[in-house]
Amino acid sequence: MGSRREGKFGNFYETLKQRGVSRREFLGFCSAMAATLSLPAGYGVKIAEALEKKQKPSVVWLEMQACTGDTESLLRASKPKVGELILDIISYDYHETIMAPAGHQAEKSLNDVVKNLKGKYIAIVEGSIPTKDGGAYLSIGGKSGLSIAREVCENAAATIAVGNCAWDGGLAAAAPNPTGAVGVKEAVPKATVVNLPGCPMNVENLTAVVVHYLTFGTLPATDSMGRPLFAYGKRIHDNCERRGHFDAGQFVRAWGDSGHRQGWCLYEMGCKGPQTYHNCPTIRWNEGTSWPVQSGHGCIGCAAPRFWDAMTPFYRRLPNVPGFGVESTADKVGVGLAAVTAAGLAAHFTVRLAKGKSTESMED
Ligand code: SF4
């Protein structure tokens, strides 16, 4: 991490300039961040003014029970752009997967931050935290993951839980959850946590949370599950480019059929978009190139609570489609309400399916 620490005491914009980022690119990035954060027009300038003055924050990244997919998401850049540089020039003082130091040297880096920058650093946690048997199923440097998470997250200014596992335990917490895996907030209730679920999290959302924190000194507004509203406030189904086909009753019924080739709705193939809240369709992946539904595969609901248990089998269609409008939120819907409303709308959807069937047979 040596090179990343060289400019530690310079400000953001100076470092960006040294990396060859022009002012035009920087302002374009700030405007895009304002849009991602659902801020009113004009906030791009405010973000730019704040970032120009800010010192780079110190960040520690903890790797708990995880597949490292969120670190992959962080690093998976085909070419540098401002957002990646912003994350790159944050003072990553500790990141188990990508840091150069090892052993005692690495532990010292972490301890120095916790001791010397108490209440000033950002903790990012990837992976679930095993709590069963005193946290014995994860040990780093002789300490349990649980005790490290408590020490680091309780002393941080803010904690960002990246990926589904750090949010609600994810895959490790799926039944029968042998290690007693939980998310960060459950393991460390005193910590100030914002959750970025997804398997993995989208790095654009992580950048936006960091930018929000640097600009306003606070974490963005969240729903009752600790997820920022700018990223998890809308259903995938409501922003999906195949929605018109859903409304018209045009469904893919087999992989590779004529509907699939024409980009019809993937609901019948198990798409979980109607019950998942995430900004996947609008920010997309790989520099905004595409996202799973655009590439022809249904949403698996990876940003939904306990999705490994609740959204599987992935290729079985949802039993009923709630008919919540675009104004719905995850908080308003709730699990109980979803079940009741879904039952009421089942008949309505049956008509749609029938219509889809007749449409398909007419066109085939
Ligand atoms: S069911 Fe899936 S593919 Fe169909 S419109 Fe909704 S999100 Fe898109």
Side-chain angles (χ1 to χ4, degrees), residues 193-215:
V193 180
V194 63
N195 296 307
L196 296 181
C199 194
M201 61 94 195
N202 192 314
V203 73
E204 306 286 341
N205 289 331
L206 175 60
T207 310
V209 169
V210 171
V211 166
H212 188 285
Y213 184 76
L214 293 174
T215 304

Side-chain angles (χ1 to χ4, degrees), residues 236-237 240 242-243 246 265-267 271 273-274 293:
I236 282 187
H237 190 56
C240 177
R242 297 185 188 229
R243 176 60 186 264
F246 175 89
C265 173
L266 294 155
Y267 171 77
C271 180
V293 168

Side-chain angles (χ1 to χ4, degrees), residues 124-294:
I124 299 179
V125 183
E126 173 176 14
S128 63
I129 299 164
T131 58
K132 213 166 176 177
D133 300 323
Y137 300 102
L138 173 62
S139 158
I140 301 161
K143 290 185 188 170
S144 72
L146 181 61
S147 66
I148 293 171
R150 282 183 181 148
E151 190 183 355
V152 172
C153 300
E154 282 181 1
N155 288 303
T159 298
I160 308 173
V162 294
N164 210 273
C165 297
W167 175 39
D168 68 358
L171 177 60
N177 192 1
T179 65
V182 298
V184 179
K185 189 61 188 171
E186 195 175 335
V188 192
K190 285 189 204 155
T192 303
V193 180
V194 63
N195 296 307
L196 296 181
C199 194
M201 61 94 195
N202 192 314
V203 73
E204 306 286 341
N205 289 331
L206 175 60
T207 310
V209 169
V210 171
V211 166
H212 188 285
Y213 184 76
L214 293 174
T215 304
F216 302 107
T218 58
L219 293 171
T222 63
D223 63 15
S224 61
M225 289 177 266
R227 305 176 300 179
L229 291 169
F230 77 82
Y232 301 89
K234 296 283 180 207
R235 267 193 321 178
I236 282 187
H237 190 56
D238 297 327
N239 284 317
C240 177
E241 64 260 40
R242 297 185 188 229
R243 176 60 186 264
H245 295 294
F246 175 89
D247 290 339
Q250 295 173 320
F251 299 99
V252 175
R253 296 179 192 282
W255 300 117
D257 71 4
S258 65
H260 197 213
R261 292 197 297 277
Q262 292 175 77
W264 286 6
C265 173
L266 294 155
Y267 171 77
E268 282 279 284
M269 304 306 289
C271 180
K272 307 296 189 287
Q275 285 188 357
T276 306
Y277 288 75
H278 200 203
N279 58 358
C280 242
T282 49
I283 60 167
R284 306 184 179 189
W285 295 80
N286 299 323
E287 300 182 24
T289 306
S290 186
W291 66 294
V293 168
Q294 185 180 350

Side-chain angles (χ1 to χ4, degrees), residues 82-120:
V82 183
E84 288 145 13
L85 284 172
I86 289 248
L87 287 172
D88 189 45
I89 62 170
I90 280 173
S91 292
Y92 275 107
D93 290 303
Y94 184 85
H95 189 312
E96 283 143 8
T97 315
I98 58 175
M99 68 195 300
H104 295 304
Q105 223 185 344
E107 298 317 308
K108 184 175 179 320
S109 303
L110 181 60
N111 293 337
D112 284 350
V113 172
V114 175
K115 199 167 120 202
N116 301 329
L117 295 173
K118 189 172 176 177
K120 293 185 182 146

Side-chain angles (χ1 to χ4, degrees), residues 33 134 144 149 179 195 273 295 320 328 332:
M33 277 295 110
S144 72
T179 65
N195 296 307
S295 68
N320 298 298
S328 293
K332 275 194 215 162

